[in-house]
Amino acid sequence: MTTLEACRAIHAARSNAVVVSTMSAMKAMDEVAPGAPLALSSVPLMGGAAGLALGIALAQPTSTLIVLDGDASLLMELGVLATVAGARPTRFIHFVFANGVQFNGNANLGLAGCGGVDFAAAAKAAGYASAFRIDDADRLAAALPDIMAAASPAMVELNITPCAPMLGKDTPFPEQPDKRFQRMGDEAARLRELLGADS
């Protein structure tokens, strides 16, 4: 399945959940649900999506939190699995888009462990209450009602097909504008207001 297919299915099932996304999933959600109010993009905090979502989950225990994480991102902060499990958030669904590359669609660099990490098993070993592994978009769509109702925290490892790389020796990465790095702060301020955190 592609990142875009997975994000479409998750968005269709999210209801009023807060979605914290990073990397390829963040870009796909910009296409699937541009300007969605209950959304927070983890930029430039690579590896921080689950930690951000946990903070919101603890502050807003009646909210459902959906994390759209990358495999390369999660590997940078693998200890967050134990932190999330230990905090026991009651409505926390952690999707990992396991495409086996870093900077999907850009440089497609290799991952630590050569892409062999079993994130569902790692989450269960860390103390997550439930874990799933899903290989295609149809199965994801069919499983989402059970995933949304599963014991929390829940890990969902998605087998994602990486995009072809666009960058290389002759096509370097363009300089990123400052507004890209202001995005997370702007979205966080909007999210705090919508969740009533400032009142």
Side-chain angles (χ1 to χ4, degrees):
M1 98 186 89
T2 67
T3 299
L4 190 58
E5 288 171 336
C7 286
R8 283 181 179 140
I10 293 164
H11 179 67
R14 72 181 278 192
S15 185
N16 61 348
V18 176
V19 175
V20 178
S21 61
T22 192
M23 306 310 292
S24 300
M26 181 190 77
K27 293 178 185 175
M29 288 303 288
D30 284 345
E31 184 173 336
V32 171
L38 293 175
L40 180 60
S41 303
S42 183
V43 176
L45 189 60
M46 189 172 177
L52 284 173
L54 178 60
I56 298 168
L58 296 177
Q60 301 285 327
T62 61
S63 295
T64 298
L65 268 293
I66 293 175
V67 184
L68 306 182
D69 214 341
D71 48 5
S73 292
L74 184 54
L75 283 171
M76 290 186 169
E77 296 284 348
L78 203 53
V80 78
L81 295 178
T83 303
V84 169
R88 298 181 184 189
T90 56
R91 295 175 176 87
F92 193 95
I93 304 145
H94 190 171
F95 291 89
V96 175
F97 288 65
N99 57 27
V101 298
Q102 186 171 199
F103 305 118
N104 176 37
N106 288 325
N108 284 24
L109 302 176
L111 293 184
C114 300
V117 175
D118 185 333
F119 292 101
K124 284 293 283 184
Y128 272 52
S130 53
F132 306 82
R133 186 177 291 104
I134 299 176
D135 292 332
D136 67 62
D138 289 339
R139 286 185 186 147
L140 174 60
L144 275 165
D146 289 336
I147 290 169
M148 298 297 286
S152 178
M155 167 62 72
V156 186
E157 182 176 350
L158 301 175
N159 183 10
I160 299 292
T161 303
C163 300
M166 295 186 302
L167 304 179
K169 179 181 171 185
D170 298 322
T171 52
F173 196 75
E175 185 175 343
Q176 295 299 298
D178 288 344
K179 66 181 180 181
R180 178 177 172 87
F181 299 102
Q182 294 169 353
R183 175 178 176 169
M184 188 169 72
D186 294 342
E187 289 179 353
R190 180 180 65 186
L191 191 58
R192 283 177 58 89
E193 182 178 346
L194 287 171
L195 294 175
D198 292 326
S199 53

